[in-house]
Amino acid sequence: MPNITVDHSAGLDDRIDRAALAGAVHQACVDTVSARTAACKTRFRRADETVVGDGTEPADLVHIEIALLSGRTEEVKKALTEAVLALLPTHIKNPEGAHFSVEVRDLEPGYKSARG
């Protein structure tokens, strides 16, 4: 915890600095929700096809989902959402025209994790 998923359109493959973005999101989680850096886990998923609006214009998008153990206030989750949304364009080359979104949510009560 936190479990972080970065979904991005294929057009951003060569424009996202994945290591720097993950590190910045991890730091935002540490600073905002008191997570431990070692507990932050990020995965990147490429979306080969994306459509924005009526689909007539090409558009790149990035959506970040951050799933946390329950117990954070809505205000804290909102602060994390805003912090991550603000840092997103700084880790993408030529971010103009791209669509960015962030969602912070609670993990389900049945969530468990383990290390092998």
Side-chain angles (χ1 to χ4, degrees):
M1 188 287 309
N3 289 328
I4 303 154
T5 304
V6 181
D7 290 310
H8 64 88
S9 55
L12 295 174
D13 275 347
D14 298 332
R15 295 170 35 206
I16 298 175
D17 185 341
R18 287 169 182 75
L21 177 57
V25 173
H26 294 182
Q27 189 60 52
C29 289
V30 169
D31 295 343
T32 310
V33 298
S34 301
R36 292 179 303 106
T37 302
C40 296
K41 299 173 284 300
T42 297
R43 67 179 172 186
F44 289 83
R45 297 188 302 196
R46 172 188 167 157
D48 288 327
E49 296 182 38
T50 57
V51 178
V52 175
D54 63 9
T56 59
E57 303 218 3
D60 291 316
L61 60 90
V62 177
H63 175 73
I64 297 181
E65 178 184 290
I66 303 171
L68 304 169
L69 293 173
S70 64
R72 274 54 177 223
T73 66
E74 291 303 314
E75 292 80 16
V76 168
K77 290 188 273 189
K78 182 179 177 184
L80 180 57
T81 298
E82 291 172 357
V84 172
L85 191 59
L87 67 81
L88 231 172
T90 65
H91 298 285
I92 298 174
K93 295 175 192 162
N94 304 318
E96 299 78 17
H99 297 261
F100 303 121
S101 58
V102 178
E103 175 187 7
V104 177
R105 65 173 185 82
D106 290 340
L107 288 162
E108 293 297 319
Y111 170 81
K112 302 289 182 231
S113 69
R115 288 185 66 172

